[in-house]
Amino acid sequence: MMQKESVIETGAKINLCLEILGLRRDGYHELRSLFAPVTSPSDTLHLRPLPSGGGLVLSCSLSELEDEENILYKAYESFAVVTGERPGLEVYLEKGVPAGSGLGGGSADAAALLTYLNLNLSRESRLGPKPLMRLAASVGSDVPFFLLGKPAWVTGAGERVAPIGKNLPLNGLLIVCPRVSVSTAWAYR
């Protein structure tokens, strides 16, 4: 299946507007937001196939993100359940997007991993766009947006993504990332 090492820059996103429309029965908030992808700040995934197969080995530049709560584990396991494939893969996550910043670094990482895994299946075994998007939504609310990678209106809990059909002029945009981490659940409360 996978033959060579890869390095993937994942980028981030900004919310150009955000409306929180209410609490859903599933505990998530219904929202409407305009997301735009940005290339910086960015995480970097270093992916190396393992000859033995059978799982994900994750390390990270921030050791506190190496546990099984990392969204990359969820993405890998969800992909394995849907496809039946469990390739051996070593991933080193070099964090550049501050954790808890609201910029979607973890979701971008998960989308990049799902794309990588899918592209490394045989052509006839690959998931099509809609099944891959459903899989991404099961991994995390912002993950479908990062599969799309274009400015989009995002609704539901983030799983419904509608591209706006044009690029947004973000020239001169400055993203400031203070050393403060905010839980999404806390912020939405």
Side-chain angles (χ1 to χ4, degrees):
M1 183 169 133
M2 292 182 246
Q3 301 300 320
K4 63 180 186 168
E5 295 182 27
S6 295
V7 176
I8 302 170
E9 297 284 327
T10 61
K13 60 111 174 134
I14 57 171
N15 296 58
L16 295 172
C17 72
L18 172 63
E19 294 177 272
I20 300 173
L21 304 172
L23 187 61
R24 298 166 22 148
R25 289 183 188 173
D26 62 7
Y28 287 95
H29 286 84
E30 187 73 24
L31 60 89
R32 181 173 184 265
S33 186
L34 180 58
F35 284 5
V38 294
T39 57
S40 181
S42 181
D43 290 347
T44 305
L45 293 176
H46 301 265
L47 305 129
R48 188 171 67 89
L50 297 174
S52 59
L56 175 67
V57 177
L58 176 65
S59 59
C60 182
S61 59
L62 298 176
S63 59
E64 62 269 22
L65 297 179
E66 292 177 350
D67 65 16
E68 294 199 6
E69 296 297 312
N70 189 303
I71 195 170
L72 290 174
Y73 279 112
K74 185 174 183 182
Y76 179 91
E77 291 301 326
S78 298
F79 185 84
V81 166
V82 169
T83 64
E85 298 286 336
R86 297 186 59 79
L89 184 62
E90 182 179 332
V91 176
Y92 176 71
L93 170 59
E94 187 178 340
K95 283 299 290 176
V97 179
S101 63
L103 296 171
S107 295
D109 300 339
L113 180 61
L114 290 174
T115 300
Y116 173 85
L117 291 168
N118 197 48
L119 289 175
N120 280 284
L121 290 176
S122 64
R123 186 175 300 275
E124 56 276 353
S125 298
R126 287 183 192 150
L127 299 175
K130 287 182 181 178
L132 189 59
M133 199 63 98
R134 280 193 301 274
L135 173 58
S138 76
V139 172
S141 296
D142 291 348
V143 180
F145 166 75
F146 284 104
L147 282 182
L148 180 67
K150 299 176 185 173
W153 284 106
V154 178
T155 57
E159 76 281 6
R160 292 191 304 267
V161 181
I164 64 169
K166 60 182 174 179
N167 285 326
L168 299 172
L170 299 176
N171 299 341
L173 175 73
L174 174 64
I175 298 174
V176 177
C177 300
R179 295 182 188 254
V180 175
S181 177
V182 176
S183 156
T184 302
W186 176 86
Y188 275 61
R189 275 195 304 274

